[in-house]
Amino acid sequence: VCRASRTAADNSWKLEHWTRAVLEAPDEPGVLLVDADTFVNAPLDPLWSIDFDLGYTVREASRFPLNGGVIAVRANDRTRRFMERWLARDRAMLADLALREPWRRVYGGQNQASLGSLLEGPEVADLRVVKLPCREWNCEDESWSRFDSTTRIVHVKSALRATVFHVDGATPTLRPLADLWRD
């Protein structure tokens, strides 16, 4: 039984699809799991020259240390196990708000809370984990002001989404990014 918000349930549903993608991928190719509300600004190939099993994006100066909107995975037995554990933890937190709440306070949303709880535990002991800077790999709220030619993925959420779609809450300083999305 889901006791969380519709947004949390939607994010958990997304994680089910992401997990299936990794479970069904052949060994070793890079699988880039990306939220639908993003756009690609620069080539993504350099990501695969980095040595890792699991990559996630980190914020430089934000209340929440990571953003779960871009996750890079090299499909192998270790990452498949991790994705299954992440999905199981996410489902448990979706059903039990008391379990989720302390992690949500630290990490934010549904998937971020479940991911953060795993990153702090033994579930990553056998993984080569890399932190990817949001400014380059998942440019979002806290890094939009630092957008530059090194930014590869832009996350169109909150104020940027309002600016893109000309709705209340549009932020004039985000117009260049909104124009880039429109182009």
Side-chain angles (χ1 to χ4, degrees):
V1 173
C2 176
R3 304 207 186 289
S5 70
R6 174 67 188 197
T7 300
D10 287 346
N11 276 297
S12 193
W13 179 75
K14 171 193 73 176
L15 183 56
E16 289 184 33
H17 289 276
W18 283 8
T19 300
R20 187 174 326 115
V22 174
L23 293 178
E24 294 174 358
D27 278 354
E28 290 309 318
V31 179
L32 190 58
L33 307 165
V34 183
D35 279 0
D37 60 345
T38 62
F39 68 89
V40 175
N41 183 62
L44 303 176
D45 298 334
L47 176 63
W48 307 112
S49 65
I50 302 169
D51 185 31
F52 68 90
D53 291 314
L54 175 76
Y56 67 97
T57 56
V58 294
R59 295 173 168 140
E60 292 177 29
S62 176
R63 176 177 170 215
F64 301 119
L66 64 91
N67 182 294
V70 175
I71 302 291
V73 178
R74 291 196 194 279
N76 58 47
D77 291 341
R78 295 178 310 279
T79 56
R80 288 185 187 98
R81 275 192 309 275
F82 179 82
M83 292 302 294
E84 288 174 326
R85 290 173 183 152
W86 185 11
L87 181 58
R89 179 74 52 90
D90 200 77
R91 286 176 176 165
M93 287 183 173
L94 192 64
D96 183 350
L97 298 182
L99 173 64
R100 183 181 70 166
E101 187 55 27
W103 297 103
R104 191 200 61 73
R105 281 194 302 270
V106 174
Y107 290 101
Q110 175 69 28
N111 298 150
Q112 292 172 180
S114 56
L115 175 60
S117 73
L118 291 177
L119 291 172
E120 288 191 28
E123 293 84 1
V124 294
D126 64 339
L127 292 176
R128 296 170 299 156
V129 178
V130 65
K131 297 176 182 179
L132 304 166
C134 276
R135 186 183 54 77
E136 181 176 1
W137 295 103
N138 187 8
C139 187
E140 43 80 73
D141 309 64
E142 74 88 26
S143 52
W144 288 327
S145 65
R146 291 186 304 283
F147 172 87
D148 62 21
S149 62
T150 66
T151 301
R152 298 178 185 284
I153 298 173
V154 178
H155 205 147
V156 183
K157 54 187 234 163
S158 57
L160 180 53
R161 185 178 300 142
T163 305
V164 163
F165 295 109
H166 306 289
V167 298
D168 290 341
T171 305
T173 58
L174 294 177
R175 280 195 190 122
L177 277 176
D179 291 343
L180 187 60
W181 180 87
R182 285 189 201 96
D183 288 345

